[in-house]
Amino acid sequence: QSAVDAALTVDGVSITSSSNTLTDAIPGVTLTLKSVSTSSVSLDINNDTTTAKAKVNALVAAYNDVNALMTEVTNPASTMETYGGTLVGNSTVRTLRDQIRSLVTAQSTTAPSSDLAYLHDIGVEVDKTGKLTVNSVKLDLAMDTDFSNTVKLLSGNQEQLSEYDTTTDAGIAGEASRTLS
């Protein structure tokens, strides 16, 4: 059988391709055509939450690292070389710690609903020692049942904003970026 270009129609737009794998027919979706069909085909598309979950976990790890370092530099009994105990009594560290803590405990300005307004609503919780933890069951539930509002809470549906961007509805991430900058 001689080779023939793949031909399909997506939302009324005719598309041809020399490959059976198409990446530009639907933004963010890779189609792999496996057989010939003359009738309509429906697609069920699910969100890939793996990257978003990894970024939430990275946020938690970064927060805990910063918090641990601030504890060491303000601890007069610290045994950490070089930095340990170097900022004992420094009020700037306390102010900075309070600002960072408020970033993860305050309501987002882009809260999509009363059910998703804080990080703890998606499973990012503060334990009794002040460390952040991820309740993976709650995070999975938020990502799987309300992905779009979870993304809005975190990013305000904005992508790749620089620290100099003045976008006001950039979710918890944008608020954190501006505050930390």
Side-chain angles (χ1 to χ4, degrees), residues 132-153:
L132 288 184
T133 60
V134 177
N135 178 330
S136 59
V137 172
K138 204 170 182 181
L139 180 59
D140 287 346
L141 184 63
M143 293 282 185
D144 293 341
T145 62
D146 202 357
F147 185 76
S148 62
N149 280 330
T150 301
V151 169
K152 186 170 183 177
L153 170 74

Side-chain angles (χ1 to χ4, degrees), residues 83-145:
Y83 302 111
T86 56
L87 297 172
V88 173
N90 188 315
S91 64
T92 303
V93 176
R94 178 181 294 127
T95 301
L96 182 58
R97 179 179 272 170
D98 290 345
Q99 286 179 336
I100 291 172
R101 186 174 293 131
S102 73
L103 292 173
V104 296
T105 58
Q107 181 176 0
S108 173
T109 58
T110 61
S113 70
S114 61
D115 293 335
L116 290 176
Y118 300 88
L119 279 176
H120 67 79
D121 294 331
I122 63 167
V124 178
E125 302 165 350
V126 181
D127 71 12
K128 63 184 174 191
T129 66
K131 287 181 71 176
L132 288 184
T133 60
V134 177
N135 178 330
S136 59
V137 172
K138 204 170 182 181
L139 180 59
D140 287 346
L141 184 63
M143 293 282 185
D144 293 341
T145 62

Side-chain angles (χ1 to χ4, degrees), residues 48-57 143:
D48 178 6
T49 60
T50 307
T51 301
K53 289 176 188 176
K55 290 189 183 241
V56 168
N57 282 297
M143 293 282 185

